[in-house]
Amino acid sequence: MTDSKYFTTTKKGEIFELKAELNSDKKEKKKEAVKKVIASMTVGKDVSALFPDVVNCMQTDNLELKKLVYLYLMNYAKSQPDMAIMAVNTFVKDCEDPNPLIRALAVRTMGCIRVDKITEYLCEPLRKCLKDEDPYVRKTAAVCVAKLHDINAQLVEDQGFLDTLKDLISDSNPMVVANAVAALSEIAESHPNSNLLDLNPQTINKLLTALNECTEWGQIFILDCLANYMPRDDRESQSICERVTPRLSHANSAVVLSAVKVLMKFMEMLPKDLDYYGTLLKKLAPPLVTLLSAEPELQYVALRNINLIVQKRPEILKHEMKVFFVKYNDPIYVKLEKLDIMIRLASQANIAQVLAELKEYATEVDVDFVRKAVRAIGRCAIKVEQSAERCVSTLLDLIQTKVNYVVQEAIVVIKDIFRKYPNKYESVIATLCENLDSLDEPEARAAMIWIVGEYAERIDNADELLESFLEGFHDESTQVQLQLLTAIVKLFLKKPTETQELVQQVLSLATQDSDNPDLRDRGYIYWRLLSTDPVAAKEVVLAEKPLISEETDLIEPTLLEELICHIGTLASVYHKPPSAFVEGSRGVQHKRIPARAGSGESAESSDVGQSGPSEAPPAVIPSQGDLLGDLLNLDLAPPTATVPSVQPSMQMGAMDLLGGGLDSLMGDDSDTLGGDIGGSPSMGAGLGAAPAAMPASLGAAPAVGGGLGDLFDLGGGVGMPTGSYVAPKTVWLLAMKGKGLEISGTFARRGGIIQMDLTLTNKAMSVMTDFAIQFNRNSFGLAPAGPLQVLTPLSPNQTIDVSLPLSTSGPVMKMEPLNNLQVAVKNNIDVFYFSCQYPLSLLFVEDGKMDRQVFLATWKDIPNENEAHFQIKDIHLNSDVASNKLQGSNIFTIAKRTVEGQDMLYQSVKLTNGIWVLAEMRIQTGNPNYTLSIRCRAPEVCQFVYLCYELVLKN
Amino acid sequence: MIGGLFIYNHKGEVLISRVYRDDIGRNAVDAFRVNVIHARQQVRSPVTNIARTSFFHIKRSNIWLAAVTKQNVNAAMVFEFLYKMCDVMTAYFGKISEENIKNNFVLIYELLDEILDFGYPQNSETGALKTFITQQGIKGQHQTKEEQSQITSQVTGQIGWRREGIKYRRNELFLDVLESVNLLMSPQGQVLSAHVSGRVVMKSYLSGMPECKFGMNDKIVIDKQGKGGTTDDPGKSGKQSIAIDDCTFHQCVRLSKFDSERSISFIPPDGEYELMRYRTTKDIILPFRVIPLVREVGRTKLEVKVVIKSNFKPSLLAQKIEVRIPTPLNTSGVQVICMKGKAKYKASENAIVWKIKRMAGMKESQISAEIELLPTNDKKKWARPPISMNFEVPFAPSGLKVRYLKVFESKLNYSDHDVIKWVRYIGRSGIYETRC
């Protein structure tokens, strides 16, 4: 009875022996031999040489033997396609067997054999099995369609299997329904736009009925599928939620998590004042807590998901802090996750308990865990002001332990506490300085140097301390070098008399002996600042720093929304969108949360915004903690408001700081820096007046939205040589709807950069501050590439022009109309929503000139029905002028042909998302009406391309 | 979906390898061995991503089970499946060990073929599986057509966990209420967190397809009845009901009915299964209190005194009591004195283990120990792990009471009264810790 003996054959000539045994007459011996083959296969030996012999054993009425042979076939058929054909007959015969178990086995196995010739034979049996009288066969056949689709998608479509599969959703057997749903969902993933899973209220109803009856796994398939549905209105959404909530009591955690996913997504549509909304919120907490009593691996999955849920809806678990307390025997991965969630849930109400726990954890064994616990104490201090004092004293206690990594971690967080509560806890500096020597990690060294520099005036021997670091300057990491440079400059500005030598020394180290461009450039800027205008230097370097945000490590809201749609899946475990770890087309679609009722239309949405200000998307500052800090030594910098006046055309913080600085800098020494920046004549004024976030150096500037390219263009308003047409600004948000804030704007594409030019007018009686902007998902993934730079408070009756660089890497969702963009603008008063439409020419990229040959081939390749015809009337331009004009908007003329007095222009356009649009424009001399034919694989864009033509040609 | 499933022994040798998807290559088997098993480090995440391939792994004794995928699968489902797979294997051949797996590899391949199709989990109820996959090879060939369709309808059916036509001479059922009580207490005796996680395990030996209804002293149900002023006398119900934070049920329970009426009705599987799990946090009876006193005498000596107090009816007896008092790593010698039971210092476990066979309610017992320490120059302080405790008591610390379990079988002629029912309560310690 024991099978282990099959694993132990190590004789020579094994294959040969097996061959003989496989061909033996005795059934038992044959079976023994096949078992040996499978055992060898398992441990990774190549037994493909036995293929014909094994396949010969297939014709048997012994089911066990048959299964073993099938197992072998699935493994090796691909390597021996020709011989695999030998098996087809048996498969086809088995599909007709009176025993449903054998029919199902045959169709299941056949689908796993990835040989083209075999798949051809599979179609007929599969068709029969899909309509088999036995549900067991049907449920197996349903999955087989997905297998076949994976091998040959076209075949599945041609054979009409997709329709049969859709019919199975109405099958009487719940397991067949569940498998059909699973198969369809998988197939639909590789056809994002196919509308294959045509979910409508009827099918949803069927699914919900099957949900009550099928196996736990089937329930997961169905719930995961339901989560992709967009309910029509809040009532439908509520009724689905009502039917899904019972699943929260299922013993299977995956069923629970998938149900949570559906609820989290659909409750977004429910009006917040609805009683049911509150009930639902309350119902979600207990099952989530219960997940924590599952096995540790599942706890981990649950915790990663709870981390997302807590960020999205903190109210659900705010009273459940205790369940996240770490148990001594928890695996380390559970401990670390719990700690994360504890910090997120920490509030004034529970801070005492949390701190007591964290203090315990800081004495544990695991280094990572201890570090995280120490860091958590710091985060508590920043989050809950009342606790700051206790946190600091706890940290001091920990520093006294002298455990090296604890000390370093504590110093890093104390730096943040100083940032948050300036001039409050400086008494501890002396203790910190005692530990200077033990710091060997860059982050801790940098933090300590920052502290010394920041409080140089209170530390008697600050110069000595910093000097001691300077000795090994070139061995330090960049982070430390940059910090040291800044700290010494600060020290110099505070105590100029004694430290002149020191600052000379560090500046020359940074500028002359370093190869690091960031360091060198920062050195140069300081140098020039100091040599030209020490007063300005003081204002810049010692400027008041903006507050740091309370929450750290928050997931960016659009990603968070997407991850909420993936609750329970790997994406939610990795906290990454599926496209980051899945190859190919699968799962690359971005999922989104449905919008709350009414917010689809801008007119209504502003009302919604007013009724619930808390809905404002949290303004998350991207965590650039490690971005080396910036010139002004700010970790994260929402623009602060110390600038008395702002130039109307100033775009970005980076620019105006430079602009002003350059004027004076270039007077002295225009070789070094001037070369980089070129002439930027109109960049006026404003040095020292703009303590905004500044990229670490000029070299790194392109990382911040626009980069130098647009600096030129924006500063002087010179425009691009050929100048694409920019429509005049129109009013997007009426002052009436915006509580006094009026926004008008337009879009432009300048030098390859898309910009949204906005004019903000304050028509209210009070000052407006804290502006921020966000876009809803849109057809081409437009998203702000940087924060909205409104540097000053906007006083009543003041108007400001802002230009916001946009990227096209945001989340995508098809809008109606295609070029619709929904925008939310926030200020200190409220959040306002409006929608606007952008010209498609915004998305025409500079390298949109297609090769002639390619053009021809592509034109032919696009089906005729994708061609659209338009008339452009009243244009009095000749073809050359027109083509030049169009080129300015990145519509490129590839060829021109003149036939019988008619000019035919062939043109190409490429959109930012890679879609090509091809056009043929006919211009008849003397006729002011042009004829335009547009072909594109995505025919819905044609209309908008035509509008761009008209716009460009007429202006 | 799941692309492949591998089982390894502790050395990383493959015992079972089944690939379901084309995107998983043979090298995946080796990648996991090299990166996870051979790394011989503490597992820092149960999901490991190696070269864009994700491995979900669990360990049972010294056997590794790994599910592999390249897609965005439902992670919770994969782990649930792996646990289920272990349950199924255990139900077939007992403990999961290298030997058992090697001895049953053909069976395991058969099971894997059945319960996972193209990476989608299928019916994995052992009750159903055992009707057509057996250790004596597959039945299949000698069955009648009726038997075959009965199998398939059961595997795919609404009640996939029970087959028709079960008959017992004596209809009998056993209910075990098994609770584990968890506590984390501060040295000062403040309860930091306490909860009971309980399970109701049922062994049913019932004929036919019986409809069951289970009732307990759930506060929500009792209050509802109290309001209606029907059967129960209201004074009694208010006191004896318990607030259940949350509960989950075996898939046989009709969840929609529980959601709407909070009644627990089901057709049970045959034999033993877990009917429900629940969790309570309010009004927990903590069976024991641990009062620690640790004093450091100089740098080379510790004095430890621990008192335990039992806190339940004097007529009841707690069993298998064990108190574990951690000692520092540099302990050189320990002297213990205890009033009751036996206590021993176990150097290999760095702990004093104090065992008491039985202890009645409302009693108190004490242990004191002197711990000699070797002088060290290790700067790091001793972490002082908490004192943990194990015990078993014959009542439910949550206060849960089974009120009824009614059985209806309309087709066969036995009634609720003919069923012999047994109920048992066992409270065990979960993680029962007191910091010192």
Side-chain angles (χ1 to χ4, degrees), chain A residues 245-252 256 287, chain B residues 246-250 255 258-259:
Chain A
T245 32
R247 298 299 121 196
L248 295 175
S249 310
H250 203 287
N252 187 314
V256 176
Chain B
D246 188 37
C247 45
T248 60
F249 297 98
H250 185 268
L255 295 179
F258 177 74
D259 193 58

Side-chain angles (χ1 to χ4, degrees), chain A residues 522-780:
Chain A
R522 191 189 281 200
Y524 276 128
I525 288 183
Y526 281 145
W527 200 326
R528 299 215 165 74
L529 266 173
L530 294 173
S531 55
T532 45
D533 190 353
V535 181
K538 212 164 184 169
E539 270 179 70
V540 172
V541 180
L542 302 180
E544 197 175 314
K545 277 159 285 297
L547 293 180
I548 59 174
S549 79
E550 290 182 359
E551 298 283 349
T552 34
D553 303 336
L554 277 185
I555 295 176
E556 186 260 328
T558 47
L559 176 62
L560 180 62
E561 280 207 358
E562 189 176 352
L563 292 179
I564 290 286
C565 299
H566 287 292
I567 283 177
T569 69
L570 254 186
S572 71
V573 173
Y574 292 149
H575 288 186
K576 284 179 190 160
S579 51
F581 59 90
V582 175
E583 281 165 9
S585 59
R586 274 210 184 99
V588 180
Q589 295 158 275
H590 291 282
K591 297 195 177 175
R592 66 176 191 107
I593 291 184
R596 184 156 283 126
S599 61
E601 291 159 64
S602 58
E604 276 178 58
S605 65
S606 55
D607 296 335
V608 174
Q610 283 161 7
S611 65
S614 62
E615 267 177 71
V620 174
I621 301 154
S623 56
Q624 325 171 312
D626 296 325
L627 262 181
L628 305 177
D630 44 64
L631 188 57
L632 303 169
N633 196 355
L634 309 178
D635 288 339
L636 325 153
T640 34
T642 48
V643 191
S645 72
V646 171
Q647 293 285 311
S649 61
M650 276 189 185
Q651 312 302 334
M652 299 167 52
M655 195 206 79
D656 42 38
L657 183 63
L658 269 183
L662 285 175
D663 273 350
S664 46
L665 287 178
M666 276 185 302
D668 313 342
D669 181 0
S670 55
D671 296 333
T672 18
L673 260 175
D676 287 346
I677 312 267
S680 50
S682 64
M683 292 186 167
L687 166 70
M694 161 79 192
S697 74
L698 294 177
V704 183
L708 289 176
D710 62 330
L711 291 186
F712 291 109
D713 171 34
L714 300 176
V718 185
M720 287 303 289
T722 37
S724 60
Y725 166 72
V726 176
K729 286 181 178 170
T730 48
V731 176
W732 283 338
L733 178 71
L734 290 170
M736 260 170 67
K737 298 231 166 175
K739 295 196 178 165
L741 175 68
E742 185 183 274
I743 300 179
S744 57
T746 184
F747 294 93
R749 187 181 181 91
R750 299 186 181 104
I753 286 145
I754 304 173
Q755 278 173 334
M756 186 182 198
D757 294 342
L758 294 167
T759 302
L760 309 179
T761 310
N762 182 354
K763 296 196 171 170
M765 303 303 288
S766 58
V767 176
M768 295 180 181
T769 55
D770 302 336
F771 286 92
I773 192 164
Q774 268 200 342
F775 293 175
N776 198 352
R777 283 137 197 266
N778 52 70
S779 314
F780 294 93

